[in-house]
């Protein structure tokens, strides 16, 4: 249990509040959102075939709603001052628009625009006689992404499909950390101000996907690698580590208009830094189910649901303090796609 006085602890909570935000800002909800959009964002689904491109002169417009909810737990170890236990929940709601254009029969370009991106995080810090609560929000439009993808081998000709893709996301949207609302034993001690949804740094993702006929469906393997730029907030620099993702799935069509695709996905990140801390490498894994239904020649709808588990994220701070956070939760992605 913590050994510091209540006054010392209150000062620590205000400091820790900032460190936690700098270190874990939206990372859990973002992890689920990434799991639900990897294939869509690197290999846009043309009708019910995940590895297809649009075709020369054809276009696809998609609008997607993504929801994620994660239960969090962890602790903050204060050097010489005991342990602060943390529990909470993070929820996210994103509405995104995407446009893809077939330049050739096997090469697409596109743009993805988060029209609304909102995250709310509620956390509770306990210290015996005192309970501190924190609520943190970000809202607004997200960063625009630019997409290019190419189909190198086509199933109809080569028995397998093989595609490669690139997604570049510059820091286009306003980014601001905002302030948390803090309460001590039910009394508001700091009024909150929502932050802005922009990430404040660029990212680049490359990926490849292979789809192989297997039994009555197609077995696919997808691999992606992402790198992230550096962010500076109030003179403090931070940078996420790169991440590598491997996905496996089977695409089955019970009818010529319906596709069911269960999948499993694993992500490993490298170390990074945030504020005054060094964030160590961590892993994320999950499993989900994707269902696509062709409503007509020009309209398809898709549902994607997944459970995602984020392993321990350990951060060592220059002060000698240490934080450990982990979480798990559910997310879903509902999208409508029009083809013309």
């Amino acid at each position: 249990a913590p050994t510091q006085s209540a006054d010392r602890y209150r000062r620590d909570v205000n400091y820790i509040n900032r460190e936690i935000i700098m270190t874990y800002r939206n990372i859990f909800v973002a992890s689920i959102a990434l799991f639900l959009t990897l294939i869509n964002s690197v290999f846009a689904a043309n009708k019910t075939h995940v590895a297809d491109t649009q075709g020369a002169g054809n276009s696809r417009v998609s609008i997607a709603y993504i929801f994620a909810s994660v239960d969090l737990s962890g602790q903050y170890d204060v050097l010489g001052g005991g342990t602060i236990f943390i529990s909470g929940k993070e929820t996210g709601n994103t509405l995104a628009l995407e446009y893809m254009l077939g330049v050739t029969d096997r090469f697409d370009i596109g743009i993805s625009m988060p029209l609304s991106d909102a995250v709310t995080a509620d956390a509770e810090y306990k210290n015996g006689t005192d309970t501190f609560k924190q609520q943190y929000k970000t809202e607004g439009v997200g960063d625009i992404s630019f997409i290019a993808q190419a189909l190198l081998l086509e199933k109809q000709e080569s028995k397998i499909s093989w595609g490669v893709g690139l997604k570049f996301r510059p820091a286009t949207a306003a980014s601001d950390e905002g302030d948390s609302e803090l309460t001590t034993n039910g009394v508001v001690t700091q009024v909150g101000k929502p932050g802005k949804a922009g990430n404040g740094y660029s990212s680049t993702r490359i990926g490849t996907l292979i789809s192989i006929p297997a039994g009555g469906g197609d077995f696919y393997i997808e691999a992606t690698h992402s790198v992230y730029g550096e962010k500076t907030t109030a003179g403090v620099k931070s940078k996420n580590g790169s991440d590598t993702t491997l996905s496996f799935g089977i695409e089955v069509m019970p009818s010529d208009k319906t596709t069911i695709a269960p999948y499993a996905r694993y992500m490993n990140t490298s170390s990074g830094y945030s504020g005054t801390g060094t964030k160590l490498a961590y892993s994320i894994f999950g499993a989900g189910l994707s269902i696509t239904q062709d409503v007509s020649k020009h309209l398809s709808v898709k549902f994607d649901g997944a459970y995602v588990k984020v392993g321990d994220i350990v951060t060592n701070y220059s002060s000698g303090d240490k934080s450990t956070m982990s979480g798990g939760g559910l997310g879903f992605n509902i999208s409508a796609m029009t083809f013309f």
Side-chain angles (χ1 to χ4, degrees), residues 51-104:
D52 285 352
T53 45
Q54 305 306 305
N58 296 330
S59 297
R60 175 178 63 82
V61 176
S62 302
I63 186 164
Y65 169 67
I66 303 169
F67 172 83
S69 178
V70 189
D71 292 316
L72 310 174
S73 63
Q75 62 187 59
Y76 191 103
D77 298 310
V78 180
L79 181 65
T83 298
I84 297 170
F85 296 98
I86 305 168
S87 62
K89 179 181 286 288
E90 190 172 280
T91 57
N93 294 271
T94 301
L95 183 67
L97 183 69
E98 184 174 277
Y99 173 74
M100 298 297 299
L101 171 66
V103 179
T104 70

Side-chain angles (χ1 to χ4, degrees), residues 90-289:
E90 190 172 280
T91 57
N93 294 271
T94 301
L95 183 67
L97 183 69
E98 184 174 277
Y99 173 74
M100 298 297 299
L101 171 66
V103 179
T104 70
D105 284 343
R106 296 192 179 186
F107 179 67
D108 292 349
I109 58 174
I111 185 170
S112 179
M113 298 169 286
L115 304 176
S116 175
D117 195 358
V119 173
T120 299
D122 292 283
E124 187 173 274
Y125 308 77
K126 291 186 177 180
N127 176 32
T129 58
D130 291 316
T131 298
F132 300 85
K133 292 185 178 181
Q134 167 190 343
Q135 184 178 82
Y136 175 66
K137 295 182 178 181
T138 58
E139 57 188 28
V141 298
D143 296 318
I144 295 174
S145 298
F146 300 94
I147 305 166
Q149 58 188 32
L151 190 62
L152 304 181
L153 295 177
E154 192 171 24
K155 182 168 60 176
Q156 286 79 357
E157 297 177 0
S158 307
K159 300 293 180 70
I160 67 172
S161 294
W162 176 29
V164 294
L166 168 70
K167 183 176 183 180
F168 174 63
R169 186 191 66 197
T172 59
S175 177
D176 177 63
E177 298 301 326
D179 293 309
S180 293
E181 179 178 286
L182 297 177
T183 63
T184 303
N185 299 324
V187 179
V188 176
T189 57
Q190 176 177 295
V191 177
K193 182 189 75 172
K196 300 296 184 181
N199 289 285
Y201 56 85
S202 64
S203 69
T204 302
R205 181 187 305 152
I206 57 174
T208 185
L209 182 146
I210 297 176
S211 179
I212 306 170
D218 293 322
F219 174 74
Y220 66 84
I221 303 173
E222 181 191 32
T224 68
H225 181 72
S226 301
V227 294
Y228 302 93
E230 188 176 68
K231 177 180 180 178
T232 301
T233 304
V236 178
K237 295 182 178 181
S238 61
K239 186 177 181 5
N240 288 327
S242 60
D243 60 62
T244 301
T245 301
L246 186 63
S247 309
F248 302 90
I250 182 87
E251 186 184 52
V252 180
M253 297 186 70
S255 74
D256 60 356
K257 293 185 177 182
T258 306
T259 295
I260 299 175
Y263 62 87
R265 191 162 287 149
Y266 173 80
M267 177 190 294
N268 186 65
T269 73
S270 65
S271 60
Y273 52 89
S274 181
T276 60
T278 299
K279 186 164 52 181
L280 305 183
Y282 61 95
S283 298
I284 306 171
F285 62 90
L289 179 67

Side-chain angles (χ1 to χ4, degrees), residues 277-301:
T278 299
K279 186 164 52 181
L280 305 183
Y282 61 95
S283 298
I284 306 171
F285 62 90
L289 179 67
S290 177
I291 301 173
T292 306
Q293 177 69 40
D294 292 344
V295 179
S296 69
K297 180 180 179 180
H298 299 287
L299 176 65
S300 295
V301 292

Side-chain angles (χ1 to χ4, degrees), residues 32-33 36 66-69 263 303-308 329-333:
I32 292 184
L36 293 172
I66 303 169
F67 172 83
S69 178
Y263 62 87
F303 171 83
D304 195 343
Y307 174 80
V308 178
L330 297 170
F332 63 83
N333 178 357

